[in-house]
């Protein structure tokens, strides 16, 4: 045990001495994700709120045929421009080129059709492949649908029919979400970035433990010392795990700060990042850090150079985060069997905490035992590798 502690201190000192690598794994890695996610969400929220509150400009052709409709649209913060286009082809060309988000064309017989009870034709001219135009086109379509419903109700009243007669169902909304649970929809990417930050934290230590020392020529003298291979493996893996644990703490604190700076209250959301929640997140990530450290140390033992180790470890870092992609096509509820899956277990535990749910002790225990068991298995493979003469070849 003393030898393992000595190796651990040696690896930690080596990692701390490399200031650039240390800054990269403990500052850039854990901070980049929160900053990137915070900026993206802040810009998206501000743009969404701004689009919902500001008037939109809509050029109209044939608006004189529907004066009541034009008055109705103006109540929805839609500024109508009747003089911008005389020909529909010019309007279509500007929509195709992206110079214009949306336009409206009203049929010449719009008024006559309404009076006769026939469908009155109009066209929303938009490019559905232009994502920047979706908000404007959507607002215009919603306003037109509202006018259509209003005209239909008026027709029924004129015929002595209660409009409610045509609506046999009253579908009411009983929303059971909370401000914290609604925030999960925006903060869903956070767990992916958290796991990635944890893995990034141990990259330098894991690579330097074997590939780096082999390239410098210090691995063979180290193996010649009267130190048990078990102590070497435990010390090197433990150093990587400690760096990952530090990276996890920095990333969680960074996300907590970033979430509090976001204007979530404007969307009736709340970031549930209390000190207790942050501590529970950290507790859920610690077993994953042990698994990540053992996996990266094993992969690095097969590399002959630092550069080769970086190539292999790039794939190893992504592997534990891939199970989260399952949730994109099939949402899953937390259960004990799912706690056996690395990455997915941490995602389910953390998102539950963000929603304000209490962490199930059984789920946490199953997750921890699963991660630690896999970490022990990978450590045994690493030990077998260190006992082989092929390690120096």
């Amino acid at each position: 045990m003393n030898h393992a502690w000595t190796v651990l201190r040696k690896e930690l000192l080596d990692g701390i001495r490399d200031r650039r690598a240390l800054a990269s794994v403990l500052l850039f890695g854990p901070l980049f994700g929160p900053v990137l996610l915070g900026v993206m969400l802040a810009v998206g929220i501000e743009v969404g709120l701004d689009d919902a509150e500001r008037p939109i400009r809509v050029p109209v052709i044939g608006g004189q045929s529907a004066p009541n409709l034009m008055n109705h649209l103006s109540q929805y913060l839609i500024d109508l421009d009747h003089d911008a286009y005389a020909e529909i082809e010019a309007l279509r060309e500007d929509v195709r080129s992206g110079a214009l988000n949306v336009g409206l064309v009203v049929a010449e017989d719009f008024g006559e059709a309404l009076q006769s009870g026939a469908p009155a034709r109009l066209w929303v001219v938009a490019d559905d492949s232009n994502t920047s135009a979706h908000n404007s086109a959507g607002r215009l379509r919603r306003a037109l649908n509202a006018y259509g419903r209003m005209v239909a109700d008026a027709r029924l009243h004129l015929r002595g029919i209660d409009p409610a007669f045509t609506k046999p169902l009253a579908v009411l909304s009983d929303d059971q979400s909370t401000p914290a649970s609604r925030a999960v929809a925006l903060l869903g990417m956070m767990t992916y970035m958290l796991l990635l930050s944890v893995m990034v934290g141990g990259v330098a230590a894991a690579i330097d433990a074997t590939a780096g020392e082999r390239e410098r020529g210090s691995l063979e003298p180290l193996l010649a010392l009267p130190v048990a291979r078990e102590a070497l493996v435990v010390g090197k893996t433990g150093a990587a795990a400690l760096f990952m644990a530090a990276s996890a703490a920095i990333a969680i604190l960074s996300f907590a700060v970033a979430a509090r700076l976001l204007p979530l209250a404007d969307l009736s959301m709340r970031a549930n990042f209390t000190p207790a929640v942050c501590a529970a997140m950290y507790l859920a990530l610690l077993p994953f850090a042990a698994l990540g450290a053992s996996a990266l140390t094993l992969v690095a033992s097969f590399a002959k150079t630092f550069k080769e180790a970086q190539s292999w470890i790039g794939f190893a870092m992504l592997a534990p985060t891939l199970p989260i992609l399952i949730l994109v096509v099939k949402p899953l509820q937390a259960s004990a069997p799912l706690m056996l899956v690395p990455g997915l277990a941490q995602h389910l535990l953390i998102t539950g905490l963000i929603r304000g749910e209490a962490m199930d002790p059984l789920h946490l225990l199953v997750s921890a035992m699963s991660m630690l068991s896999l970490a022990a298995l990978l450590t045994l493979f690493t030990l077998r590798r260190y006992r082989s003469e092929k390690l120096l070849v």
Side-chain angles (χ1 to χ4, degrees), residues 120-329:
R121 296 173 301 159
L122 44 80
W123 294 265
V124 175
V125 183
D127 181 359
D128 289 338
S129 66
N130 183 2
T131 56
S132 63
H134 285 176
N135 289 338
S136 298
R139 284 178 60 181
L140 178 59
R141 289 190 175 103
R142 288 192 294 272
L144 293 173
N145 289 333
Y147 183 77
R149 290 191 296 270
M150 184 177 66
V151 171
D153 290 346
R155 287 176 175 176
L156 293 174
H157 272 300
L158 289 175
R159 289 163 174 79
I161 301 175
D162 187 352
F165 183 75
T166 64
K167 303 170 184 177
L169 298 180
V171 181
L172 307 178
S173 177
D174 186 8
D175 188 2
Q176 297 299 305
S177 66
T178 64
S181 66
R182 287 192 291 271
V184 175
L186 287 180
L187 301 175
M189 288 181 59
M190 184 195 70
T191 53
Y192 181 86
M193 293 185 176
L194 267 177
L195 296 177
L196 202 57
S197 296
V198 172
M199 299 294 286
V200 168
V203 166
I207 293 178
D208 189 69
T210 302
E213 292 204 8
R214 175 185 289 171
E215 195 170 21
R216 293 192 302 269
S218 60
L219 182 59
E220 186 172 358
L222 179 63
L223 295 175
L225 294 174
V227 178
R229 299 297 168 92
E230 291 86 349
L232 289 176
V233 172
V234 171
K236 291 177 179 293
T237 304
L242 287 177
F243 279 114
M244 287 186 176
S247 180
I250 296 172
I252 291 173
L253 292 177
S254 301
F255 274 113
V257 173
R260 290 183 179 276
L261 295 177
L262 291 174
L264 296 177
D266 296 336
L267 300 177
S268 300
M269 298 180 182
R270 176 175 57 84
N272 188 32
F273 279 94
T274 63
V277 169
C278 291
M281 289 183 183
Y282 188 67
L283 190 62
L285 286 175
L286 282 181
F288 181 82
L291 175 59
S294 59
L296 296 189
T297 305
L298 175 61
V299 172
S301 69
F302 287 91
K304 297 180 180 180
T305 64
F306 201 94
K307 184 177 293 186
E308 182 184 354
Q310 286 179 318
S311 301
W312 284 105
I313 281 183
F315 294 103
M317 288 175 56
L318 292 176
T321 62
L322 292 180
I324 299 178
L325 299 179
I326 298 174
L327 301 178
V328 176
V329 295

Side-chain angles (χ1 to χ4, degrees), residues 344-368:
L344 183 59
Q346 283 67 39
H347 172 80
L348 294 173
L349 289 172
I350 292 173
T351 52
L353 290 169
I354 297 175
R355 282 195 296 265
E357 301 172 358
M359 182 182 289
D360 190 329
L362 175 62
H363 289 175
L364 180 62
L365 178 62
V366 172
S367 171

